[in-house]
Amino acid sequence: MTTDLEELTQGSVTSQDGTRIGYWKIGHGPAIVLLHGSMESARSHTLLARALAGDFTVYLPDRRGRGLSGPHRPDHSVRTEVEDLDAVLRAAGATLAFGVSASGAIVLEAARTRPGLQKIAVYEPALVADGAPHAAWLARFDREVAQGNLAAAMITSMYGLELAPAIFKVMPRRLLAAVTEKAMQKEDRKAGPDDITLRKLAPTVHHEGALIVELAGRIEEFREVRIDVLLLGGSKGLPFLEPSRAGLAQVLPRNRRIEFDGLDHGSSSDPSPINSTGSAASVTKIATEIRSFFGAPQ
């Protein structure tokens, strides 16, 4: 499905360290910021934005290293991500935010450390009890990127994040890397200068892995989040992230948990080559719960 951005307008803010954070904007009503996850950009939640745009003014920021926003800096951390989100929230006058996977963890950390948010929704936030396995695949990923082998690095990250389809388990890594490189080259040939390709997104995975490691084992800290939280996940989501939702449901003082039967980790995002199971129907289910939770104006 092609992402249509004709009705969206562009804007930007400056984060605390001077980095430009660009965003797309659509709709009318109270402001809500939708923050994309790993191997995604602002464009990855266009369907969700449109589904909410009748009741909310929806902001879709590009996280660093993507599209409209500036690059990562050497000292990038979860704090940087929160500062970037904070800049958009302030510019939008938003008290509502949604995040998926890595950005779900960012939204939770923002709710814990900054004032002003009134409600948040998170879909399969990337929180784990033990960061050691993720530090291990991240080290291999970084070596492969340094060697210029982005395709091999992408295979490493897919295994590390448990995103690899079943067929990957019976194919040699060298063959998988070759197939991935061929697919990336094909995408590169068709891409326009502003298109956000897999090759452009690949290096950003380092920061997603580092975020998981940084926040590992810190579920208890989110007891400090005193606002309403909607915890979302799917029965076909990433198994290693389900325990964190169970833990969050225990420690968050004010939360509602919903597990969607049949939905997977990418169900809030637009269908794409790397989200082949995505669908408008899945997005609509999630949008309905978000709209209800955030309280669409009557």
Side-chain angles (χ1 to χ4, degrees):
M1 184 177 296
T2 302
T3 298
D4 178 8
L5 295 175
E6 288 183 4
E7 300 172 29
L8 285 82
T9 58
Q10 288 186 30
S12 68
V13 294
T14 302
S15 192
Q16 187 166 317
D17 67 0
T19 299
R20 180 181 190 267
I21 305 298
Y23 59 80
W24 297 94
K25 176 183 174 184
I26 188 172
H28 54 83
I32 174 176
V33 176
L34 305 185
L35 203 59
H36 66 79
S38 306
M39 287 303 292
E40 293 187 334
S41 71
R43 304 182 186 190
S44 300
H45 283 90
T46 305
L47 288 177
L48 183 57
R50 291 188 186 284
L52 296 172
D55 300 302
F56 301 94
T57 303
V58 184
Y59 289 75
L60 295 164
D62 270 320
R63 291 170 57 209
R64 295 190 187 210
R66 303 148 174 101
L68 304 175
S69 295
H72 296 91
R73 297 192 179 190
D75 61 347
H76 190 85
S77 68
V78 174
R79 179 177 177 178
T80 314
E81 297 273 7
V82 170
E83 290 171 352
D84 294 350
L85 173 59
D86 182 65
V88 179
L89 290 167
R90 290 180 183 274
T95 60
L96 310 172
F98 167 84
V100 55
S101 192
S103 70
I106 294 164
V107 169
L108 279 163
E109 182 68 0
R112 188 182 74 84
T113 59
R114 69 176 296 282
L117 283 168
Q118 293 182 357
K119 291 183 178 182
I120 61 171
V122 293
Y123 190 90
E124 300 208 347
L127 296 169
V128 298
D130 181 10
H134 298 278
W137 74 254
L138 182 58
R140 177 171 180 167
F141 175 91
D142 289 344
R143 287 196 303 272
E144 290 166 337
V145 170
Q147 294 164 358
N149 197 343
L150 284 182
M154 291 307 302
I155 299 303
T156 294
S157 69
M158 290 183 73
Y159 276 115
L161 294 170
E162 298 185 17
L163 296 171
I167 192 171
F168 275 37
K169 298 177 182 179
V170 298
M171 294 177 66
R173 272 187 178 244
R174 184 174 297 179
L175 177 58
L176 290 171
V179 171
T180 301
E181 178 59 34
K182 194 170 184 178
M184 292 168 71
Q185 290 176 356
K186 182 179 179 180
E187 184 185 35
D188 291 341
R189 288 193 295 270
K190 295 181 177 181
D194 296 326
D195 288 348
I196 302 175
T197 63
L198 291 176
R199 195 176 302 279
K200 291 179 181 178
L201 285 172
T204 67
V205 176
H206 164 87
H207 302 282
E208 309 302 276
L211 182 149
I212 292 173
V213 173
E214 184 178 350
L215 289 177
R218 294 170 56 181
I219 294 289
E220 185 66 27
E221 294 181 15
F222 294 105
R223 194 177 297 277
E224 301 170 19
V225 175
R226 298 294 176 177
I227 63 173
D228 293 328
V229 180
L230 180 63
L231 288 172
L232 302 172
S235 65
K236 295 184 178 180
L238 297 183
F240 79 94
L241 295 181
E242 194 283 331
S244 71
R245 294 197 298 285
L248 287 168
Q250 294 297 314
V251 304
L252 289 168
R254 294 158 55 183
N255 77 86
R256 180 186 179 201
R257 184 179 177 188
I258 298 175
E259 295 290 312
F260 295 96
D261 185 41
L263 298 197
D264 63 19
H265 192 61
S267 290
S268 69
S269 306
D270 296 3
S272 72
I274 61 171
N275 187 34
S276 59
T277 60
S279 71
S282 296
V283 172
T284 297
K285 289 181 182 179
I286 293 170
T288 298
E289 295 298 340
I290 292 173
R291 183 185 298 108
S292 174
F293 180 73
F294 284 155
Q298 300 298 316

